[in-house]
Amino acid sequence: MDSLNSLLDGFGTALTPINLLWAATGVLLGTAIGVLPGIGPAMAVALLLPVTYGLEPTGAFIMFAGIYYGAMFGGSTTSILLNTPGESAAVVAAIEGNPMAKAGRGAQALAAAAIGHFAGGMIGTILLVALAPTVASLAVDIAPDYFAIMVLAFIAVTSVLGSSRIRGAASLLIGLTIGLVGLDQMTGQQRLTFGSLQLADGIDVVIVAVGLFAIGEALWVAAHLRRTAAEPIPVGRPWLGRADLRRTWKSWLRGPVIGFPFGAIPAGGAEIPTFLSYVTEKRLSKHKEQFGKGAIEGVAGPESAASASAAGTLVSMLTLGLPTTPSPPSCWPPSSSTASSRDRSSSSANPTWCGA
Amino acid sequence: MTTGTETPAPAGRGGWLREHSEIGVGALLLLLGVLVLTDALTMDVDITQRGPVGPKTVPVVVGVALLLVAVLLAVDVLRGGRGEAEGGEDIDLSEPSDWRTVLLLAGVFLGNAVLIGPLGFPVSGALLFWGSAYALGSRHYDRDPLIAAGLSLVTFFVFNNLLGVPLPGGPLMEVL
């Protein structure tokens, strides 16, 4: 059981006190930032990108995972308490979570979401470790056909960007144009530098990520700022009762089964599995009449699916270098590229498609 | 990130341009395409290129694709296609774009980029934080500048001293 060993090895690395500290810091920061209105996981990671500069790659990666999961949970918190999902994956949490909060069961909804994220993250990670070696050996076999992978990546990118293919292709091409700026890697020919020495270095992915997720998002929010304040709701009794547990434990376990495969396939994302999980929970529930009015399964299942799909996206991200969602996993290459800029020898071995 | 929130009913005011504002995106793509193609075709690759594929190839493909997508997008927009607007917690899509806030905020960002060199991060950062709060509608003249200054100083020390990411200190830090 080679992958089992590497799983235990991975837990061993992650469980060292210093790495646990980075993970805890990441989750704390991610939740704190994710709870802020208008900031989803993608923007939280973009904002906190520089925080990991001082860390070695493993620590940085651990912290990023913490920030991402934390921000996802932070996003569901606002979904549940304010009925204002910060990102599309948290929409489902608002459908059931907000009615629960209005009925004074906000704490139970939050707990169901938190434990759901934990279950989804754990099961997703275990599946990731089990599957990654297989996918990675496949990846090694097709290594000469980088071109095919790049085409797949481009198609994946255009289809995750929304319902319109033309608009997806347009943003892809703008990105490719930004990527063209600088020296041609094979010949050293200057492209689109207009004689500027600064542009000859190319445009760093971090700059693009911050511009897109932080500056762009800030200006977009500014243009459409909601001028009326949202209504906060009291949290209520902070315990998850035995009846609630009996209703939710199956949902927590079912979520990852739906979420993980969707995260792993290109263009999967977290939106579809959360909705699928919601529909599944509704069909299987003994309390169908409660759905839409605050059914706890409707929070637990989708939240667990969301976390597991995040782990699923890491399968293709870590083994093929393909970001399959537009949000953070595509921002993780910057962390590895900052790591590789310190260690030039590895940068050629690990091409990151974000900067292709 | 792109969410499936329903597009708000297009308001009657503003007229044709408002409805078809994405033509501007098409124009930008067209401009980019021309730029990329000009750059690629004026490139002097006699010394560097060996064989059919050289530094020109990808730019030419990208440039042609840009022109193509620009035309396709224009056609799509003229036939009534509309991009999905991204929803969010603090976003009210039923209101028209608030250009005053956008320009103020963009001005604050640009101001920070200009001032961070001469004034250093602690000062320019404080201006950035306060300016953003002001642009987004906060009018607490007593409280906001203090919070901004504190936030800016804490950020500076965390990054510069704790994390080892050098930030320009400016004249203020030379005094201290």
Side-chain angles (χ1 to χ4, degrees):
Chain A
M1 285 309 280
D2 199 27
S3 57
L4 198 66
N5 280 339
S6 34
L7 177 69
L8 291 176
D9 208 35
F11 278 127
T13 311
L15 282 177
T16 56
I18 187 74
N19 283 336
L20 275 182
L21 185 72
W22 292 131
T25 318
V27 172
L28 203 67
L29 279 174
T31 311
I33 302 251
V35 154
L36 294 177
I39 300 179
M43 196 171 168
V45 170
L47 285 175
L48 295 173
L49 202 61
V51 176
T52 57
Y53 273 12
L55 304 180
E56 39 91 39
T58 315
F61 200 74
I62 288 174
M63 195 165 160
F64 260 117
I67 291 172
Y68 184 48
Y69 285 118
M72 272 174 73
F73 175 63
S76 4
T77 308
T78 51
S79 260
I80 291 168
L81 295 183
L82 299 171
N83 200 20
T84 51
E87 36 125 24
S88 42
V91 170
V92 181
I95 303 179
E96 293 302 327
N98 193 245
M100 280 184 75
K102 284 196 175 128
R105 284 167 41 80
Q108 282 78 3
L110 284 178
I115 301 174
H117 276 297
F118 176 75
M122 283 306 260
I123 298 174
T125 308
I126 291 169
L127 286 173
L128 166 68
V129 174
L131 279 185
T134 324
V135 184
S137 63
L138 265 175
V140 171
D141 283 341
I142 55 173
D145 301 309
Y146 273 144
F147 188 73
I149 305 181
M150 281 169 87
V151 171
L152 177 65
F154 288 162
I155 293 169
V157 166
T158 47
S159 52
V160 288
L161 279 172
S163 54
S164 166
R165 287 212 182 79
I166 298 175
R167 288 166 183 83
S171 27
L172 166 68
L173 287 169
I174 293 176
L176 279 176
T177 311
I178 295 174
L180 279 180
V181 176
L183 295 181
D184 175 33
Q185 288 195 355
M186 304 304 275
T187 60
Q189 173 75 43
Q190 295 204 4
R191 291 194 294 207
L192 290 172
T193 57
F194 310 106
S196 155
L197 205 60
Q198 275 87 2
L199 283 181
D201 275 343
I203 296 174
D204 200 287
V205 191
V206 178
I207 294 171
V208 178
V210 170
L212 192 67
F213 289 120
I215 309 268
E217 179 95 10
L219 292 178
W220 173 247
V221 171
H224 296 276
L225 192 63
R226 192 189 301 277
R227 297 289 176 185
T228 47
E231 234 3 73
I233 299 163
V235 173
R237 199 177 60 96
W239 300 108
L240 197 61
R242 190 169 293 168
D244 285 331
L245 272 180
R246 205 172 297 135
R247 283 174 62 177
T248 45
W249 71 269
K250 280 184 201 147
S251 314
W252 286 325
L253 295 182
R254 270 194 296 261
V257 178
I258 298 167
F260 186 79
F262 269 90
I265 56 169
E271 298 89 350
I272 305 166
T274 48
F275 274 96
L276 272 182
S277 163
Y278 179 70
V279 175
T280 315
E281 294 308 326
K282 194 173 174 179
R283 294 196 121 200
L284 294 176
S285 171
K286 292 195 189 87
H287 309 270
K288 286 195 186 64
E289 72 290 347
Q290 284 187 12
F291 272 80
K293 299 187 207 93
I296 196 164
E297 301 96 318
V299 179
E303 289 300 290
S304 170
S307 259
S309 89
T313 58
L314 286 180
V315 173
S316 53
M317 182 62 226
L318 293 177
T319 55
L320 301 174
L322 287 185
T324 57
T325 59
S327 36
S330 66
C331 288
W332 284 345
S335 75
S336 62
S337 76
T338 50
S340 61
S341 64
R342 272 181 253 130
D343 176 16
R344 278 283 163 200
S345 60
S346 70
S347 68
S348 54
N350 299 311
T352 48
W353 303 119
C354 277
Chain B
M1 281 300 286
T2 333
T3 53
T5 46
E6 73 258 50
T7 15
R13 66 209 153 191
W16 194 88
L17 261 183
R18 214 185 131 71
E19 290 280 298
H20 298 86
S21 58
E22 275 188 272
I23 288 282
V25 181
L28 174 77
L29 292 175
L30 198 72
L31 194 77
L32 268 182
V34 171
L35 191 73
V36 171
L37 276 181
T38 337
D39 184 75
L41 295 178
T42 53
M43 209 181 272
D44 183 19
V45 291
D46 291 340
I47 327 159
T48 49
Q49 183 158 353
R50 306 274 181 277
V53 176
K56 269 183 181 184
T57 318
V58 173
V60 169
V61 172
V62 171
V64 170
L66 274 168
L67 298 184
L68 192 74
V69 169
V71 173
L72 285 178
L73 183 67
V75 170
D76 183 71
V77 172
L78 289 178
R79 285 168 69 189
R82 252 169 137 257
E84 268 174 26
E86 190 186 305
E89 291 164 53
D90 271 344
I91 291 174
D92 188 359
L93 288 171
S94 55
E95 291 289 310
S97 297
D98 180 0
W99 286 108
R100 199 178 149 268
T101 312
V102 174
L103 288 178
L104 257 176
L105 198 60
V108 170
F109 288 159
L110 286 178
N112 182 52
V114 173
L115 293 176
I116 195 168
L119 294 185
F121 180 83
V123 177
S124 79
L127 287 175
L128 168 75
F129 295 142
W130 183 35
S132 308
Y134 181 86
L136 292 174
S138 174
R139 292 291 181 276
H140 296 277
Y141 296 106
D142 46 349
R143 197 183 68 187
D144 291 348
L146 284 178
I147 298 178
L151 199 59
S152 172
L153 274 177
V154 169
T155 320
F156 180 81
F157 278 113
V158 167
F159 280 99
N160 200 59
N161 300 19
L162 294 181
L163 291 170
V165 181
L167 286 172
L172 183 68
M173 288 299 127
E174 277 161 31
V175 172
L176 289 180

